[in-house]
Amino acid sequence: MEKIKRLGVLTSGGDAPGMNAAVRAVARTALSCGIDCIGIRRGWQGLINADFVQLTRASVGHLLSRGGTILYTARSEEFMTEAGREKAVTTCKMLGLDGVVAIGGDGTFRGALELSRLGVPVVGVPATIDNDVGCTNYTIGFDSACNTAIECIDKLRDTMQSHERCSVVEVMGRNAGFLALYVGTAVGATAVLVPEHKLNFEEDVIERIRASRLAGYTHFMIVVAEGAGKATDIGEKIHEALGIKPTITIIGHIQRGGAPTGRDRETATRMGYSAVMAFVEGRGNSIIATQEGGIVEIPIEEALTMKKHLQMDRYKIMEIMQFGSHE
């Protein structure tokens, strides 16, 4: 790979706390290596439309603590077409980009793979609150989203306990239960429903509420991953089975907002730095990932075939912390 003169950086898909920290790290690392850095606004669609801004050390200052993304983010149906991708390549040529750092999740990386096949080197940085990117142990934004959900549930518990009620709380996570299980364990939920665990409603929910009541508790907290069912449906089934009417809380997009935690700021900084150094050292077309506490690079095609499974030992720990195993 020839000497890198100019890199682009974009954020795509759902926003996640820490994306700004990653943009900052990419820009400052590039500039320290004598490389111009161009911010592509609104993801892959921005690359098609040549929607860009020159990034400087000053312009990315004070970003560590800011949630969201200063580059904005969007999903692009046009980029999924051959004509759209050709327009993106044309923009890269016009701007003189020697490569692109793409910050996002699996959808972002599938777009990165297609762009790389057209001759534009790309390095991906995983950022999604769902933590569901198969090639990496951790994705930027997960810790912040967990802490937001935990704070909301702690406050909800205070008022629900005052009224001796059952709460059903739906958290995000798309089709994965990483967020729900982490949060449920951290708040001491009566039950946690995740897509990876086949639900026996009577055993996993109703009997747990009964056991909790017999143990002297008068408030019951059920945490539901959005991919495991709707909180409203769960609440109705609890009402039918036990005669109590649960309160339903859907935390929603508040989990994506707010200042990133220290872990997300530090991880985003290391990943952003590593993405630029992959280009500087003559590599590209890879995903930056965390494995066993360290930063690694994995070829995009290989990375997109990798799967990550929920650690069911953590699910068992959560059960034991409540009333012990049913086995």
Side-chain angles (χ1 to χ4, degrees):
M1 186 179 292
E2 297 180 359
K3 178 174 171 57
I4 302 297
K5 297 179 181 178
R6 185 173 295 115
L7 290 176
V9 57
L10 59 82
T11 53
S12 179
D15 62 305
M19 277 185 164
N20 275 330
V23 170
R24 171 183 178 271
V26 169
R28 290 198 167 179
T29 303
L31 293 168
S32 71
C33 295
I35 301 169
D36 287 342
C37 191
I38 305 297
I40 308 298
R41 293 181 291 207
R42 300 174 179 86
W44 297 122
Q45 191 62 44
L47 197 58
I48 292 172
N49 297 334
D51 183 1
F52 67 93
V53 60
Q54 183 89 33
L55 298 179
T56 66
R57 291 189 68 87
S59 69
V60 297
H62 310 293
L63 289 185
L64 278 173
S65 61
R66 286 181 59 179
T69 164
I70 62 164
L71 296 179
Y72 308 108
T73 183
R75 304 184 193 278
S76 175
E77 293 186 7
E78 187 176 2
F79 190 77
M80 297 173 67
T81 68
E82 184 177 348
R85 292 191 291 270
E86 290 291 349
K87 289 180 182 178
V89 172
T90 298
T91 298
C92 290
K93 291 179 179 178
M94 183 268 292
L95 295 177
L97 299 183
D98 297 307
V100 174
V101 177
I103 303 169
D106 275 335
T108 301
F109 300 152
R110 284 192 290 272
L113 176 60
E114 294 301 323
L115 191 64
S116 71
R117 286 172 173 170
L118 294 175
V120 180
V122 185
V123 173
V125 172
T128 166
I129 68 168
D130 305 327
N131 201 29
D132 60 351
V133 176
C135 66
T136 183
N137 295 145
Y138 186 80
T139 62
I140 298 166
F142 178 71
D143 189 59
S144 300
C146 286
N147 277 277
T148 296
I150 290 167
E151 182 181 1
C152 290
I153 292 174
D154 283 347
K155 290 180 178 180
L156 177 66
R157 186 190 295 276
D158 288 344
T159 183
M160 292 298 100
Q161 284 181 330
S162 299
H163 295 278
E164 301 181 330
R165 288 177 176 170
C166 176
S167 303
V168 179
V169 180
E170 183 179 313
V171 300
M172 298 180 82
R174 203 167 56 170
N175 296 316
F178 298 101
L179 184 62
L181 182 55
Y182 187 104
V183 169
T185 301
V187 300
T190 308
V192 179
L193 280 57
V194 296
E196 296 86 349
H197 176 74
K198 186 176 180 180
L199 178 65
N200 180 322
F201 196 81
E202 180 67 24
E203 181 177 296
D204 295 334
V205 179
I206 301 305
E207 283 303 317
R208 286 189 167 275
I209 292 175
R210 286 196 179 112
S212 183
R213 184 66 187 90
L214 289 170
Y217 295 97
T218 56
H219 172 246
F220 322 107
M221 176 67 67
I222 313 299
V223 175
V224 184
E226 61 181 345
K230 293 183 179 297
T232 50
D233 295 339
I234 301 300
E236 288 177 4
K237 293 177 71 173
I238 291 173
H239 185 211
E240 291 174 3
L242 296 173
I244 57 177
K245 191 171 181 61
T247 58
I248 308 299
T249 302
I250 301 174
I251 300 179
H253 284 73
I254 192 174
Q255 292 159 96
R256 287 187 180 173
T261 61
R263 181 179 184 183
D264 281 328
R265 299 181 197 191
E266 192 270 346
T267 302
T269 300
R270 287 194 296 142
M271 284 186 166
Y273 166 84
S274 298
V276 174
M277 295 311 296
F279 284 115
V280 171
E281 295 169 4
R283 300 183 299 278
N285 300 332
S286 60
I287 305 296
I288 303 299
T290 64
Q291 292 186 1
E292 298 179 357
I295 298 290
V296 299
E297 293 175 43
I298 303 172
I300 294 179
E301 291 198 30
E302 179 184 345
L304 287 174
T305 66
M306 298 173 74
K307 305 294 182 184
K308 179 163 63 176
H309 303 287
L310 191 70
Q311 296 171 301
M312 296 312 294
D313 60 323
R314 294 191 175 193
Y315 189 88
K316 187 170 184 177
I317 290 170
M318 179 275 299
E319 289 186 311
I320 289 174
M321 289 302 104
Q322 198 61 24
F323 297 108
S325 174
H326 290 293
E327 295 179 2

